[in-house]
Amino acid sequence: MTEHVLIEKANGVLTLTLNRPDKKNALSNEMYGALGDAIDGAADDPEVRCILIQANGDMFTSGNDLASFQAVNSGEAAQGDRRGGSALIQALGRAKTPVVAAVNGRAVGVGTTMLLHCDLVFLAEDALLTTPFVNLALVPEAASSITLPARIGHARAFSMFVLGEAVDARKAEAWGIANAVVPVGELRARARAAAEAVAAKPPSAVAITKALMRESERYLARMQEEGAHFGAQLKTAEAAEAFAAFREKRAPDFSKVS
Ligand code: COA
């Protein structure tokens, strides 16, 4: 249980609201655990026919909590001590329940890669998607090394991953990452209406359709492969420099790392 994820159930929709606005909804290990458990739990709850993910505050999420990355880098936290992001991304990768996302403002890192596991995505006009893994000396996760190029093509995906290209709402819609771009004030209602519409459909037909469209086993295997590289990169000197630069509010300098 964490106050940073609000969980409600109504009209067949399980709503998960990211609620750590003072830290721009940076995802802590507790938040990943709460989200993952809620998504896994939905599979066995006949009252839940659809999951809706949304966020309080001025952005969807600033991605993984950089303090916990830093703790692994410095040796304060052993990587094996925590489920970390895998609690959320694996639950999404194997989810049988459809997932709808309502994204306002920035969606950084896993904030964007999780959208590739969502079945309907609504973006507010101010949405901005970034996957700055390489800027942090890290590598793609959440099976995004296959799901992002599959969705938008290799060249665009490489630019997002390696150059840190930021993709605004209109571009994300045009590239097939999202269903629609809506005014900020209409975002929640629009996404909720879609989630309730999904929830009203025949549940087995919906679940089979989703399963046929997804390649869960392949995603979970790729997440493991990515995770091994991600874990190794977290401990490198180049990652230490990237995290120090964020903490010290300066640009990183990778010219001296070998
Ligand atoms: N992890 C931990 N803390 C974070 C965070 C993150 N990912 N993102 C933001 N915060 C914290 C800031 O340290 C700051 O804390 P403070 O008030 O105690 O100083 C607070 O949230 C507000 O952030 P701030 O940077 O002032 O907000 P902003 O609106 O100017 O910028 C971002 C927002 C998202 C552009 C910026 O915070 C950012 O780049 N964050 C890191 C994103 C990232 O690299 N995530 C990992 C991806 S794998």
Side-chain angles (χ1 to χ4, degrees), residues 1-7 28-31 33-35 37-38:
M1 283 291 284
T2 166
E3 72 210 295
H4 294 149
V5 177
L6 307 179
I7 302 177
S28 63
N29 293 332
E30 292 72 28
M31 292 167 77
L35 291 162
D37 289 346

Side-chain angles (χ1 to χ4, degrees), residues 22-24 26 59 62 64-66 106 108 133 136 246:
D22 57 322
K23 293 291 180 189
K24 307 291 176 182
M59 67 180 69
S62 58
N64 200 100
D65 190 319
L66 288 174
R106 283 174 173 265
V108 184
F133 302 113
L136 289 167
F246 178 72

Side-chain angles (χ1 to χ4, degrees), residues 20-27 32 58-59 61-69 106 108-111 130-133 135-136 138-139 141 230 243 246-247 249:
R20 196 189 181 196
D22 57 322
K23 293 291 180 189
K24 307 291 176 182
N25 293 320
L27 292 159
Y32 283 130
D58 68 356
M59 67 180 69
T61 173
S62 58
N64 200 100
D65 190 319
L66 288 174
S68 51
F69 278 171
R106 283 174 173 265
V108 184
V110 68
T130 52
T131 51
F133 302 113
N135 286 346
L136 289 167
L138 299 173
V139 299
E141 38 66 302
F230 199 101
F243 303 148
F246 178 72
R247 220 177 40 243
K249 301 190 191 295

Side-chain angles (χ1 to χ4, degrees), residues 1-8 14-20 25-43 51-55 60-61 63 83-95 99-100 110-111 114:
M1 283 291 284
T2 166
E3 72 210 295
H4 294 149
V5 177
L6 307 179
I7 302 177
E8 311 158 74
L14 183 74
T15 303
L16 308 177
T17 305
L18 308 181
N19 185 41
R20 196 189 181 196
N25 293 320
L27 292 159
S28 63
N29 293 332
E30 292 72 28
M31 292 167 77
Y32 283 130
L35 291 162
D37 289 346
I39 293 165
D40 279 336
I51 296 168
L52 172 61
I53 304 179
Q54 60 184 20
F60 186 64
T61 173
R83 288 157 79 203
S86 59
L88 171 62
I89 62 180
Q90 288 179 4
L92 283 170
R94 64 180 163 246
V99 184
V100 176
V110 68
M114 77 165 81

Side-chain angles (χ1 to χ4, degrees), residues 58-222:
D58 68 356
M59 67 180 69
F60 186 64
T61 173
S62 58
N64 200 100
D65 190 319
L66 288 174
S68 51
F69 278 171
Q70 161 90 38
V72 174
N73 180 269
S74 65
E76 280 165 52
Q79 214 184 335
D81 287 355
R82 54 183 198 98
R83 288 157 79 203
S86 59
L88 171 62
I89 62 180
Q90 288 179 4
L92 283 170
R94 64 180 163 246
K96 294 186 171 62
T97 313
V99 184
V100 176
V103 179
N104 62 300
R106 283 174 173 265
V108 184
V110 68
T112 288
T113 59
M114 77 165 81
L115 302 180
L116 302 163
H117 295 280
C118 295
D119 301 293
L120 295 171
V121 176
F122 295 89
L123 301 179
E125 283 165 343
D126 68 346
L128 192 68
L129 311 185
T130 52
T131 51
F133 302 113
V134 169
N135 286 346
L136 289 167
L138 299 173
V139 299
E141 38 66 302
S144 61
S145 58
I146 46 180
T147 54
L148 191 62
R151 189 74 68 89
I152 68 175
H154 177 96
R156 290 165 177 161
F158 191 88
S159 178
M160 287 186 74
F161 284 141
V162 176
L163 298 180
E165 180 181 349
V167 174
D168 66 21
R170 294 280 166 212
K171 205 183 256 187
E173 182 191 30
W175 287 1
I177 297 175
N179 293 81
V181 179
V182 300
V184 180
E186 292 170 26
L187 176 69
R188 284 205 175 179
R190 184 77 182 273
R192 179 163 302 281
E196 290 184 356
V198 171
K201 300 288 179 188
S204 296
V206 172
I208 295 167
T209 300
K210 171 169 169 130
L212 288 168
M213 292 172 69
R214 297 279 178 189
E215 296 179 85
S216 281
E217 294 305 317
R218 185 169 169 238
Y219 300 154
L220 293 168
R222 178 55 68 100

